[in-house]
Short mmCIF file of all heavy atoms in Angstrom, two decimals:
data_model
loop_
_atom_site.label_atom_id
_atom_site.label_comp_id
_atom_site.label_asym_id
_atom_site.label_seq_id
_atom_site.Cartn_x
_atom_site.Cartn_y
_atom_site.Cartn_z
N PHE X 1043 -2.39 -21.01 1.38
CA PHE X 1043 -3.32 -21.77 0.54
C PHE X 1043 -3.27 -23.26 0.90
O PHE X 1043 -2.20 -23.79 1.22
CB PHE X 1043 -2.98 -21.55 -0.93
CG PHE X 1043 -3.13 -20.11 -1.34
CD1 PHE X 1043 -2.04 -19.26 -1.35
CD2 PHE X 1043 -4.37 -19.61 -1.68
CE1 PHE X 1043 -2.18 -17.93 -1.70
CE2 PHE X 1043 -4.53 -18.27 -2.04
CZ PHE X 1043 -3.43 -17.43 -2.04
N PRO X 1044 -4.42 -23.92 0.86
CA PRO X 1044 -4.48 -25.34 1.25
C PRO X 1044 -3.54 -26.21 0.42
O PRO X 1044 -3.40 -26.02 -0.79
CB PRO X 1044 -5.94 -25.71 0.98
CG PRO X 1044 -6.68 -24.42 1.01
CD PRO X 1044 -5.74 -23.40 0.47
N ASP X 1045 -2.90 -27.13 1.07
CA ASP X 1045 -2.03 -28.10 0.40
C ASP X 1045 -2.65 -29.47 0.60
O ASP X 1045 -2.45 -30.13 1.62
CB ASP X 1045 -0.62 -28.03 1.01
CG ASP X 1045 0.33 -29.01 0.35
OD1 ASP X 1045 0.00 -29.50 -0.75
OD2 ASP X 1045 1.40 -29.29 0.92
N CYS X 1046 -3.45 -29.89 -0.36
CA CYS X 1046 -4.14 -31.17 -0.25
C CYS X 1046 -4.15 -31.86 -1.61
O CYS X 1046 -3.95 -31.21 -2.64
CB CYS X 1046 -5.56 -30.99 0.29
SG CYS X 1046 -6.56 -29.86 -0.67
N PRO X 1047 -4.37 -33.18 -1.65
CA PRO X 1047 -4.25 -33.91 -2.91
C PRO X 1047 -5.43 -33.73 -3.86
O PRO X 1047 -5.32 -34.01 -5.04
CB PRO X 1047 -4.15 -35.37 -2.46
CG PRO X 1047 -4.87 -35.40 -1.14
CD PRO X 1047 -4.59 -34.08 -0.49
N GLU X 1048 -6.57 -33.23 -3.36
CA GLU X 1048 -7.76 -33.18 -4.21
C GLU X 1048 -7.83 -31.94 -5.10
O GLU X 1048 -8.42 -31.98 -6.17
CB GLU X 1048 -9.03 -33.23 -3.34
CG GLU X 1048 -9.14 -34.47 -2.48
CD GLU X 1048 -8.58 -34.23 -1.07
OE1 GLU X 1048 -7.87 -33.21 -0.87
OE2 GLU X 1048 -8.87 -35.05 -0.20
N PHE X 1049 -7.26 -30.83 -4.64
CA PHE X 1049 -7.35 -29.60 -5.43
C PHE X 1049 -6.18 -28.69 -5.12
O PHE X 1049 -5.47 -28.86 -4.13
CB PHE X 1049 -8.68 -28.88 -5.16
CG PHE X 1049 -8.79 -28.32 -3.76
CD1 PHE X 1049 -8.33 -27.05 -3.45
CD2 PHE X 1049 -9.38 -29.07 -2.75
CE1 PHE X 1049 -8.42 -26.54 -2.17
CE2 PHE X 1049 -9.48 -28.57 -1.47
CZ PHE X 1049 -8.99 -27.31 -1.18
N SER X 1050 -6.01 -27.71 -6.01
CA SER X 1050 -4.99 -26.68 -5.82
C SER X 1050 -5.67 -25.33 -5.95
O SER X 1050 -6.60 -25.16 -6.75
CB SER X 1050 -3.89 -26.83 -6.87
OG SER X 1050 -2.90 -25.82 -6.72
N LEU X 1051 -5.22 -24.36 -5.17
CA LEU X 1051 -5.91 -23.07 -5.11
C LEU X 1051 -4.90 -21.94 -4.95
O LEU X 1051 -3.89 -22.07 -4.24
CB LEU X 1051 -6.88 -23.06 -3.92
CG LEU X 1051 -7.57 -21.74 -3.57
CD1 LEU X 1051 -8.52 -21.33 -4.68
CD2 LEU X 1051 -8.33 -21.87 -2.24
N PHE X 1070 -12.70 -23.60 5.08
CA PHE X 1070 -13.45 -24.85 5.15
C PHE X 1070 -14.54 -24.74 6.20
O PHE X 1070 -14.34 -24.16 7.27
CB PHE X 1070 -12.52 -26.01 5.53
CG PHE X 1070 -11.56 -26.39 4.44
CD1 PHE X 1070 -10.24 -25.96 4.48
CD2 PHE X 1070 -11.96 -27.17 3.37
CE1 PHE X 1070 -9.35 -26.30 3.49
CE2 PHE X 1070 -11.08 -27.52 2.37
CZ PHE X 1070 -9.77 -27.08 2.42
N TYR X 1139 -17.36 -25.99 -2.57
CA TYR X 1139 -16.77 -27.07 -3.38
C TYR X 1139 -16.59 -28.32 -2.52
O TYR X 1139 -15.97 -28.28 -1.45
CB TYR X 1139 -15.42 -26.60 -3.92
CG TYR X 1139 -14.71 -27.63 -4.77
CD1 TYR X 1139 -15.24 -28.06 -5.98
CD2 TYR X 1139 -13.49 -28.16 -4.36
CE1 TYR X 1139 -14.58 -28.99 -6.75
CE2 TYR X 1139 -12.82 -29.09 -5.13
CZ TYR X 1139 -13.37 -29.51 -6.33
OH TYR X 1139 -12.72 -30.44 -7.10
N ASP X 1140 -17.14 -29.41 -3.02
CA ASP X 1140 -16.99 -30.71 -2.36
C ASP X 1140 -15.80 -31.41 -3.02
O ASP X 1140 -15.89 -31.90 -4.14
CB ASP X 1140 -18.26 -31.54 -2.53
CG ASP X 1140 -18.21 -32.84 -1.73
OD1 ASP X 1140 -17.10 -33.24 -1.31
OD2 ASP X 1140 -19.28 -33.46 -1.56
N ARG X 1141 -14.69 -31.44 -2.32
CA ARG X 1141 -13.46 -31.99 -2.90
C ARG X 1141 -13.56 -33.50 -3.11
O ARG X 1141 -12.77 -34.08 -3.86
CB ARG X 1141 -12.27 -31.67 -2.00
CG ARG X 1141 -12.45 -32.11 -0.57
CD ARG X 1141 -11.32 -31.60 0.30
NE ARG X 1141 -11.57 -31.87 1.71
CZ ARG X 1141 -10.71 -31.56 2.67
NH1 ARG X 1141 -9.58 -30.98 2.37
NH2 ARG X 1141 -10.99 -31.82 3.93
N ALA X 1142 -14.51 -34.16 -2.47
CA ALA X 1142 -14.64 -35.60 -2.63
C ALA X 1142 -15.35 -35.98 -3.92
O ALA X 1142 -15.19 -37.09 -4.43
CB ALA X 1142 -15.40 -36.19 -1.44
N THR X 1143 -16.16 -35.07 -4.46
CA THR X 1143 -16.95 -35.39 -5.65
C THR X 1143 -16.69 -34.44 -6.82
O THR X 1143 -17.11 -34.73 -7.94
CB THR X 1143 -18.45 -35.33 -5.32
OG1 THR X 1143 -18.80 -33.99 -4.96
CG2 THR X 1143 -18.79 -36.26 -4.17
N GLY X 1144 -16.04 -33.30 -6.57
CA GLY X 1144 -15.86 -32.30 -7.62
C GLY X 1144 -17.09 -31.44 -7.83
O GLY X 1144 -17.12 -30.58 -8.72
N ALA X 1195 -13.97 -31.69 -13.41
CA ALA X 1195 -13.29 -32.94 -13.71
C ALA X 1195 -11.79 -32.77 -13.44
O ALA X 1195 -11.30 -31.64 -13.36
CB ALA X 1195 -13.53 -33.32 -15.17
N PRO X 1196 -11.06 -33.86 -13.30
CA PRO X 1196 -9.61 -33.74 -13.07
C PRO X 1196 -8.95 -32.91 -14.17
O PRO X 1196 -9.19 -33.13 -15.35
CB PRO X 1196 -9.13 -35.19 -13.09
CG PRO X 1196 -10.32 -35.99 -12.73
CD PRO X 1196 -11.49 -35.28 -13.29
N GLY X 1197 -8.15 -31.96 -13.76
CA GLY X 1197 -7.47 -31.08 -14.72
C GLY X 1197 -8.23 -29.80 -15.01
O GLY X 1197 -7.66 -28.85 -15.57
N ASP X 1198 -9.51 -29.73 -14.64
CA ASP X 1198 -10.30 -28.51 -14.82
C ASP X 1198 -9.83 -27.44 -13.84
O ASP X 1198 -9.53 -27.74 -12.67
CB ASP X 1198 -11.78 -28.77 -14.60
CG ASP X 1198 -12.43 -29.49 -15.77
OD1 ASP X 1198 -11.74 -29.72 -16.78
OD2 ASP X 1198 -13.63 -29.81 -15.67
N LEU X 1263 -9.08 -22.23 -8.97
CA LEU X 1263 -9.29 -23.49 -8.25
C LEU X 1263 -9.16 -24.63 -9.27
O LEU X 1263 -9.91 -24.68 -10.24
CB LEU X 1263 -10.68 -23.51 -7.60
CG LEU X 1263 -11.15 -24.85 -7.02
CD1 LEU X 1263 -10.31 -25.24 -5.82
CD2 LEU X 1263 -12.63 -24.77 -6.65
N ARG X 1264 -8.23 -25.54 -9.03
CA ARG X 1264 -8.01 -26.65 -9.97
C ARG X 1264 -8.32 -27.98 -9.31
O ARG X 1264 -7.84 -28.28 -8.21
CB ARG X 1264 -6.56 -26.64 -10.46
CG ARG X 1264 -6.32 -27.65 -11.58
CD ARG X 1264 -4.91 -27.60 -12.08
NE ARG X 1264 -4.74 -28.40 -13.29
CZ ARG X 1264 -3.56 -28.71 -13.83
NH1 ARG X 1264 -2.45 -28.28 -13.28
NH2 ARG X 1264 -3.51 -29.43 -14.93
N CYS X 1265 -9.14 -28.79 -9.99
CA CYS X 1265 -9.46 -30.13 -9.52
C CYS X 1265 -8.34 -31.07 -9.93
O CYS X 1265 -7.91 -31.08 -11.09
CB CYS X 1265 -10.79 -30.58 -10.12
SG CYS X 1265 -11.26 -32.27 -9.70
N LEU X 1266 -7.86 -31.88 -8.98
CA LEU X 1266 -6.71 -32.75 -9.26
C LEU X 1266 -7.09 -34.21 -9.43
O LEU X 1266 -6.44 -34.93 -10.18
CB LEU X 1266 -5.67 -32.62 -8.14
CG LEU X 1266 -5.08 -31.22 -7.94
CD1 LEU X 1266 -4.10 -31.23 -6.78
CD2 LEU X 1266 -4.40 -30.73 -9.21
N VAL X 1267 -8.12 -34.68 -8.72
CA VAL X 1267 -8.48 -36.10 -8.79
C VAL X 1267 -9.99 -36.26 -8.80
O VAL X 1267 -10.74 -35.37 -8.39
CB VAL X 1267 -7.90 -36.89 -7.60
CG1 VAL X 1267 -6.39 -36.93 -7.65
CG2 VAL X 1267 -8.37 -36.30 -6.28
N THR X 1268 -10.45 -37.41 -9.27
CA THR X 1268 -11.87 -37.75 -9.24
C THR X 1268 -12.16 -38.58 -8.00
O THR X 1268 -11.24 -39.09 -7.35
CB THR X 1268 -12.26 -38.59 -10.48
OG1 THR X 1268 -11.47 -39.78 -10.50
CG2 THR X 1268 -12.00 -37.79 -11.75
N PRO X 1269 -13.44 -38.76 -7.64
CA PRO X 1269 -13.76 -39.57 -6.46
C PRO X 1269 -13.15 -40.96 -6.51
O PRO X 1269 -12.71 -41.48 -5.49
CB PRO X 1269 -15.29 -39.63 -6.49
CG PRO X 1269 -15.69 -38.38 -7.20
CD PRO X 1269 -14.64 -38.15 -8.23
N SER X 1270 -13.10 -41.58 -7.69
CA SER X 1270 -12.55 -42.93 -7.79
C SER X 1270 -11.06 -42.96 -7.52
O SER X 1270 -10.49 -44.00 -7.23
CB SER X 1270 -12.81 -43.51 -9.19
OG SER X 1270 -12.19 -42.70 -10.19
N GLU X 1271 -10.43 -41.79 -7.62
CA GLU X 1271 -9.00 -41.71 -7.37
C GLU X 1271 -8.68 -41.25 -5.96
O GLU X 1271 -7.54 -40.99 -5.63
CB GLU X 1271 -8.36 -40.75 -8.38
CG GLU X 1271 -8.45 -41.23 -9.83
CD GLU X 1271 -8.01 -40.15 -10.79
OE1 GLU X 1271 -8.42 -38.99 -10.62
OE2 GLU X 1271 -7.23 -40.47 -11.70
N GLN X 1272 -9.72 -41.10 -5.13
CA GLN X 1272 -9.49 -40.66 -3.77
C GLN X 1272 -8.68 -41.72 -3.01
O GLN X 1272 -8.77 -42.92 -3.28
CB GLN X 1272 -10.82 -40.45 -3.04
CG GLN X 1272 -11.64 -39.30 -3.60
CD GLN X 1272 -10.96 -37.97 -3.36
OE1 GLN X 1272 -10.36 -37.78 -2.32
NE2 GLN X 1272 -11.03 -37.08 -4.32
N PRO X 1273 -7.90 -41.33 -2.00
CA PRO X 1273 -7.13 -42.29 -1.21
C PRO X 1273 -8.05 -43.25 -0.48
O PRO X 1273 -9.20 -42.96 -0.19
CB PRO X 1273 -6.38 -41.40 -0.21
CG PRO X 1273 -6.38 -40.03 -0.83
CD PRO X 1273 -7.64 -39.95 -1.62
N GLU X 1274 -7.55 -44.45 -0.22
CA GLU X 1274 -8.28 -45.43 0.57
C GLU X 1274 -8.46 -44.91 1.99
O GLU X 1274 -7.73 -44.01 2.43
CB GLU X 1274 -7.50 -46.76 0.60
CG GLU X 1274 -7.38 -47.42 -0.77
CD GLU X 1274 -8.75 -47.77 -1.35
OE1 GLU X 1274 -9.64 -48.16 -0.57
OE2 GLU X 1274 -8.92 -47.66 -2.57
N ALA X 1277 -5.33 -44.47 4.05
CA ALA X 1277 -4.52 -43.35 3.59
C ALA X 1277 -5.21 -42.03 3.91
O ALA X 1277 -4.56 -41.03 4.21
CB ALA X 1277 -4.26 -43.46 2.09
N GLU X 1278 -6.54 -42.03 3.85
CA GLU X 1278 -7.30 -40.81 4.15
C GLU X 1278 -7.05 -40.37 5.59
O GLU X 1278 -6.91 -39.19 5.88
CB GLU X 1278 -8.79 -41.06 3.92
CG GLU X 1278 -9.68 -39.86 4.17
CD GLU X 1278 -9.49 -38.79 3.12
OE1 GLU X 1278 -9.02 -39.11 2.02
OE2 GLU X 1278 -9.80 -37.63 3.43
N GLN X 1279 -6.97 -41.36 6.52
CA GLN X 1279 -6.70 -41.01 7.90
C GLN X 1279 -5.34 -40.39 8.06
O GLN X 1279 -5.13 -39.48 8.87
CB GLN X 1279 -6.83 -42.26 8.78
CG GLN X 1279 -8.26 -42.80 8.87
CD GLN X 1279 -8.31 -44.09 9.66
OE1 GLN X 1279 -7.30 -44.55 10.19
NE2 GLN X 1279 -9.50 -44.69 9.74
N GLN X 1280 -4.37 -40.87 7.28
CA GLN X 1280 -3.03 -40.31 7.36
C GLN X 1280 -3.00 -38.87 6.87
O GLN X 1280 -2.17 -38.07 7.28
CB GLN X 1280 -2.06 -41.15 6.53
CG GLN X 1280 -1.89 -42.57 7.06
CD GLN X 1280 -1.03 -43.42 6.14
OE1 GLN X 1280 -0.62 -42.95 5.07
NE2 GLN X 1280 -0.74 -44.64 6.55
N LEU X 1281 -3.94 -38.53 5.96
CA LEU X 1281 -3.99 -37.17 5.43
C LEU X 1281 -4.76 -36.22 6.33
O LEU X 1281 -4.72 -35.01 6.14
CB LEU X 1281 -4.65 -37.16 4.04
CG LEU X 1281 -3.84 -37.78 2.90
CD1 LEU X 1281 -4.72 -37.93 1.68
CD2 LEU X 1281 -2.62 -36.93 2.60
N ALA X 1282 -5.47 -36.76 7.32
CA ALA X 1282 -6.36 -35.92 8.13
C ALA X 1282 -5.60 -34.80 8.83
O ALA X 1282 -6.05 -33.67 8.91
CB ALA X 1282 -7.11 -36.78 9.15
N GLY X 1283 -4.41 -35.14 9.34
CA GLY X 1283 -3.64 -34.13 10.06
C GLY X 1283 -3.25 -32.96 9.18
O GLY X 1283 -3.40 -31.80 9.56
N SER X 1284 -2.77 -33.26 7.96
CA SER X 1284 -2.37 -32.19 7.05
C SER X 1284 -3.57 -31.36 6.63
O SER X 1284 -3.49 -30.14 6.49
CB SER X 1284 -1.65 -32.73 5.82
OG SER X 1284 -2.52 -33.60 5.09
N ARG X 1285 -4.73 -32.01 6.44
CA ARG X 1285 -5.91 -31.26 6.06
C ARG X 1285 -6.36 -30.34 7.20
O ARG X 1285 -6.73 -29.19 6.99
CB ARG X 1285 -7.07 -32.21 5.72
CG ARG X 1285 -6.89 -32.89 4.39
CD ARG X 1285 -8.03 -33.85 4.17
NE ARG X 1285 -7.89 -34.55 2.91
CZ ARG X 1285 -8.63 -35.58 2.56
NH1 ARG X 1285 -9.54 -36.05 3.38
NH2 ARG X 1285 -8.47 -36.16 1.39
N ALA X 1286 -6.30 -30.85 8.43
CA ALA X 1286 -6.69 -30.01 9.56
C ALA X 1286 -5.80 -28.80 9.65
O ALA X 1286 -6.25 -27.69 9.92
CB ALA X 1286 -6.62 -30.83 10.86
N ALA X 1288 -4.26 -27.34 7.15
CA ALA X 1288 -4.63 -26.42 6.08
C ALA X 1288 -5.91 -25.69 6.41
O ALA X 1288 -6.06 -24.50 6.16
CB ALA X 1288 -4.79 -27.19 4.75
N THR X 1289 -6.87 -26.43 7.02
CA THR X 1289 -8.14 -25.80 7.40
C THR X 1289 -7.90 -24.71 8.43
O THR X 1289 -8.43 -23.61 8.32
CB THR X 1289 -9.09 -26.87 7.97
OG1 THR X 1289 -9.29 -27.88 7.02
CG2 THR X 1289 -10.41 -26.23 8.38
#
Side-chain angles (χ1 to χ4, degrees):
F1043 297 95
D1045 180 16
C1046 56
E1048 300 94 345
F1049 67 88
S1050 179
L1051 173 66
F1070 290 100
Y1139 180 65
D1140 186 345
R1141 54 188 172 178
T1143 64
D1198 284 357
L1263 170 68
R1264 188 178 190 191
C1265 176
L1266 299 179
V1267 294
T1268 59
S1270 61
E1271 296 171 315
Q1272 294 293 322
E1274 295 299 323
E1278 181 70 22
Q1279 293 175 3
Q1280 295 174 356
L1281 289 170
S1284 61
R1285 286 178 181 169
T1289 302

